[in-house]
Amino acid sequence: MNPTSTVPIRRALLSVSDKTGIVDFARALHALGVELLSTGGTAQLLSNNGIPVIEVADYTGFPEMMDGRLKTLHPKIHGGLLGRRGVDDAAMDAHDIPPIDLLVVNLYPFEATVAKSDCTLPHAIENIDIGGPTMLRAAAKNHNAVTVITDAADYARVLTELRENHGVVNPATRFDLAVKVFEHTARYDGAIANYLGSIQADGGRDPFPRSYSVQFHKAQAMRYGENPHQGAAFYVEPQPAEACIATARQLQGKELSYNNVADTDAALECVKGFTAPACVIVKHANPCGVAIGATLLDAYHRAYQADPTSAFGGIIAFNRPLDATTAKAIVDRQFVEVIIAPEVSPEALMITASKQNVRVLACGQWNTDCRAPGWDYKRVNGGLLVQDRDLGQVASSDLKVVTQRQPTDAELVDLLFAWQVVKFVKSNAIVYGRDGMILGVGAGQMSRVFSARIAAMKAQEEKLDLHGAAMASDAFFPFRDGLDLAAEFGITAVIQPGGSMRDNEVIAAADEHQMTMVLTGMRHFRH
């Protein structure tokens, strides 16, 4: 560290767009004897609150101009931030550049501005901050001597150190805050590049910009990745748009592993699709038990019944707060890796505490009727595949009946339930279900007919009767063999996207077996 880094803070420059907490912070700095410089609206706010402040224009002798575009781009500002104490002192003295020891800046709200439906390109351009990022980078580069703050959440931390250390901020804190600056400006510049790079020659917007920048924050280091020889960490979005694995609070249990996070995400995203009390049990990224019920306990019992063997060591997700009765049923019955719910009652936590290694998470409540759009990513060697999240839904009114027999009301409910589940099963995917409970799952097979056979084997293993059940397929049937096989097991209703060259053959097979079949026109591949 620079040997002059223990000099107390004597001068601060405050220029913020988000003025949360700035008055109290400035008042505390003034009480510590710090001289305050500021610009425009921030200076006016401080002055109105009786806090002595020097306008930057008065400090530099250079007026603010060009509708505020030019305020702080002056050697007296940047020299005061960049000057190396003990190295550049002579140059600073020769040009009358006093040191600035503390910089507090947050930037024009570019992301919030361009997110508005009525934002125009000229308006977006005017919300690109120039002076702010320039000062931030200068101060962060010179963090050996300068403390720099971009987040109001750090005000209290810095004040505490100033009071405890006679006006000095610890070198480790200055370094941490400097890193935070470069993270902040990188995200800011990335957002600008994403927006401008999406604008086409005709003025239209390409949803996928010509270059793509995204920033995630490290939430957890992990002992290893998918396998012990792989390093890993869990990164999260700065502001997730809805309750999810990234928003989850761990209330008890061992540290989450890489596979725990992936499987918990799969279980939670599946259970979000149901409005009735629901339980989803996932093993190796695929649901092995899914059910709805009159109560959470009923839903859990029915989900477990679908595949008790695979449920061992699985991930359990609920769409209602976890209650004590359901928690007791789980810990008394099975070994479970993770339980996640919107909330967890104190009584339920007292029960799960008897199994100290069980990871219990509360993720917060979501809006089932309004899921947040976003992108999914898949890394390939040398590149990144980006696509919209699969939030596609179908209602009964969207279905096209293509067989001679119409579905009964009960079959229609079963078909939609199975369709809701199959989108979360690895392709090729087949799901059998009835009465709000899955009876068998065939996942990840290279042949659709083999997925159908495996799903039936699962049901037979657990002595679950498939007669009168519904079958969902994530993609079309390329041949009629899948229908013929399902008929042997007693399936009477089928839901699938359609679109095969042999749709007529598949429909004919359904008619031969007196099945009802509906087409969704929507595929749900999952790889």
Side-chain angles (χ1 to χ4, degrees):
M1 292 294 175
N2 190 306
T4 61
S5 61
T6 56
V7 174
I9 289 177
R10 294 168 295 193
R11 183 174 295 103
L13 195 164
L14 287 62
S15 180
V16 293
S17 175
D18 178 1
K19 295 175 174 55
T20 303
I22 193 64
V23 171
D24 291 339
F25 185 60
R27 184 174 286 117
L29 290 176
H30 173 64
L32 291 169
V34 178
E35 180 182 76
L36 301 181
L37 313 177
S38 192
T39 62
T42 307
Q44 186 66 51
L45 177 66
L46 301 185
S47 180
N48 289 346
N49 280 272
I51 302 170
V53 61
I54 301 171
E55 278 266 12
V56 163
D58 295 331
Y59 181 73
T60 62
F62 204 83
E64 182 178 316
M65 62 177 64
M66 301 177 187
D67 295 326
R69 282 190 169 201
L70 199 59
K71 289 186 284 192
T72 58
L73 296 171
H74 190 280
K76 198 165 183 179
I77 299 299
H78 288 277
L81 295 171
L82 280 168
R84 294 163 293 180
R85 292 13 170 200
V87 176
D88 298 319
D89 296 359
M92 294 173 76
D93 290 343
H95 296 282
D96 188 25
I97 300 176
I100 299 173
D101 311 301
L102 170 64
L103 177 72
V104 183
V105 169
N106 54 57
L107 307 177
Y108 297 163
F110 182 83
E111 288 178 280
T113 297
V114 298
K116 297 175 182 176
S117 59
D118 60 349
C119 177
T120 63
L121 178 58
H123 189 52
I125 293 295
E126 288 308 311
N127 275 273
I128 296 176
D129 201 325
I130 301 301
T134 308
M135 288 191 293
L136 286 173
R137 291 172 64 84
K141 179 174 181 177
N142 200 26
H143 63 268
N144 274 343
V146 180
T147 301
V148 57
I149 302 176
T150 63
D151 185 351
D154 291 315
Y155 293 165
R157 170 189 182 189
V158 169
L159 283 176
T160 297
E161 292 195 15
L162 291 176
R163 288 165 177 154
E164 292 179 351
N165 301 332
H166 307 290
V168 175
V169 176
N170 291 323
T173 300
R174 291 200 304 274
F175 179 79
D176 180 57
L177 292 172
V179 173
K180 198 168 182 176
V181 162
F182 288 116
E183 291 169 344
H184 183 57
T185 56
R187 180 184 173 192
Y188 192 77
D189 286 340
I192 295 168
N194 288 346
Y195 174 78
L196 296 179
S198 72
I199 297 175
Q200 299 174 300
D202 62 1
R205 293 284 303 280
D206 185 339
F208 300 97
R210 68 186 198 184
S211 65
Y212 179 54
S213 299
V214 62
Q215 187 176 90
F216 295 92
H217 294 167
K218 186 176 178 180
Q220 179 189 334
M222 293 174 164
R223 287 192 300 137
Y224 54 82
E226 205 162 7
N227 300 292
H229 64 276
Q230 295 172 273
F234 180 35
Y235 288 82
V236 301
E237 296 173 352
Q239 295 175 321
E242 67 179 25
C244 58
I245 181 61
T247 65
R249 296 170 288 117
Q250 184 165 351
L251 306 178
Q252 76 156 60
K254 295 190 298 185
E255 187 177 76
L256 288 163
S257 72
Y258 180 99
N259 293 327
N260 288 155
V261 170
D263 286 351
T264 303
D265 175 66
L268 182 59
E269 293 307 305
C270 182
V271 85
K272 284 181 181 180
F274 298 100
T275 54
C279 174
V280 172
I281 306 175
V282 160
K283 191 71 169 288
H284 291 299
N286 285 296
C288 59
V290 181
I292 57 175
T295 65
L296 213 60
L297 179 63
D298 183 36
Y300 165 65
H301 281 321
R302 302 180 79 226
Y304 181 84
Q305 183 184 358
D307 191 351
T309 303
S310 298
F312 179 86
I315 310 292
I316 303 177
F318 295 103
N319 65 347
R320 297 284 195 282
L322 179 64
D323 57 83
T325 305
T326 307
K328 187 174 190 308
I330 295 170
V331 299
D332 286 350
R333 171 183 276 167
Q334 69 168 108
F335 166 60
V336 58
E337 288 276 357
V338 179
I339 303 171
I340 188 168
E343 295 296 339
V344 179
S345 75
E347 296 78 12
L349 266 181
M350 290 177 63
I351 290 169
T352 57
S354 65
K355 304 287 186 180
Q356 294 183 1
N357 288 336
V358 175
R359 304 157 179 92
V360 179
L361 309 179
C363 65
Q365 190 60 58
W366 57 87
N367 185 350
T368 303
D369 297 325
C370 185
R371 301 293 305 282
W375 283 352
D376 281 335
Y377 311 102
K378 184 178 180 64
R379 181 78 168 91
V380 295
N381 199 351
L384 186 72
L385 287 168
V386 180
Q387 65 174 351
D388 294 326
R389 292 178 62 198
D390 184 2
L391 298 177
Q393 302 263 359
V394 296
S396 56
S397 58
D398 300 314
L399 303 178
K400 179 182 179 183
V401 181
V402 292
T403 49
Q404 296 171 8
R405 186 170 75 79
Q406 296 284 318
T408 66
D409 289 345
E411 284 176 327
L412 195 57
V413 171
D414 290 343
L415 288 167
L416 290 172
F417 173 81
W419 183 250
Q420 181 64 40
V421 176
V422 78
K423 70 181 286 188
F424 293 97
V425 179
K426 297 286 187 180
S427 301
N428 287 307
I430 294 290
V431 169
Y432 300 134
R434 185 180 57 238
D435 299 329
M437 169 183 167
I438 64 170
L439 304 173
V441 175
Q445 297 304 301
M446 290 69 75
S447 166
R448 191 159 301 280
V449 70
F450 270 84
S451 288
R453 191 180 302 279
I454 289 170
M457 290 170 55
K458 286 284 189 180
Q460 291 164 356
E461 180 74 20
E462 305 304 335
K463 298 181 172 55
L464 299 173
D465 185 10
L466 291 178
H467 286 83
M471 174 171 71
S473 173
D474 66 329
F476 64 65
F477 288 95
F479 304 99
R480 62 171 289 163
D481 53 0
L483 274 291
D484 293 330
L485 186 66
E488 293 179 20
F489 301 136
I491 299 298
T492 60
V494 179
I495 186 169
Q496 56 125 334
S500 167
M501 293 173 54
R502 298 180 177 84
D503 268 356
N504 289 338
E505 296 177 23
V506 175
I507 294 168
D511 283 334
E512 286 176 26
H513 298 298
Q514 297 183 329
M515 291 175 168
T516 183
M517 184 162 67
V518 299
L519 305 184
T520 65
M522 180 181 293
R523 190 180 72 185
H524 282 306
F525 270 165
R526 186 177 178 90
H527 293 107

